[in-house]
Amino acid sequence: MEIVILPGPEDVAREAARRVAGVVRRRPGAVLGLATGSSPLGLYAELARQVADGALDVTGVSGFALDEYVGIPLEHPQSYASVIRRTVTEPLGLDPRRVHVPDGRAPDLAAAADAYERAIRAAGGIDLQILGIGANGHLGFNEPTSSLASRTRVKTLAPRTRADNARFFAGSEEVPLHCLTQGLGTILEARELLLVAQGEAKADAVAAAVEGPLAAICPASVLQLHPRAAMVLDEAAACRLR
Ligand code: F6R
């Protein structure tokens, strides 16, 4: 795995955006896997700046979100459909018809999960999957003990994740209990993985993912299996690496 350690979060955003832009320039019809959460926000803002400056053309780019909460309305500001629209689709000027989010409101969630897998395959697979990491080592919403071969499916959010994500809601009780998430097996099929992490709160998870055993207890350790995986970290997130 390639590990890049940079002084601060702005450096992480710039370096990660440089990598994403490189993929898009090489492949104008690139399919990007899109994480939500705080970690990639600087990266998305930097890409939007390049698009606004005319330095990057994303006309042909498609996107697939990593995950979605189950049971919150589409228009809820914290549904990942809303978050992706606000932080990626609109700022980059992507065609909304090319940006996909799992359907967490579907009456048949297992069918929605299978449909999402088919949509990714029909798009030709994901060229570059952008990832954050949970403080508990989760990847997407694949919580500790998720199968390393898992596919898109319903998962129960870990209490730690609900507590961590309470900052986006009025309180932790408002954080949904379930989600639809790409599986670890789904994520591993992307041609390239790019994980960004900032801040000391991620340092233990980063160290476990990079230096710990490959183990379901730290889902992000699956990056060790991928031939083209990179982590772009700031010094605080990297501080427990040996
Ligand atoms: C988001 C996702 C999660 C986050 C992780 C880190 O789509 O799948 O794995 O990447 O929870 O969240 P932040 O970036 O908010 O610290």
Side-chain angles (χ1 to χ4, degrees), residues 35-39 66-67 80 132-134 138-141 167-168 202:
T36 51
S38 314
S39 307
L66 258 181
D67 39 22
Y80 282 175
I133 184 170
H138 74 208
L139 207 59
F141 277 141
R167 69 191 193 278
F168 297 117
K202 300 295 175 69

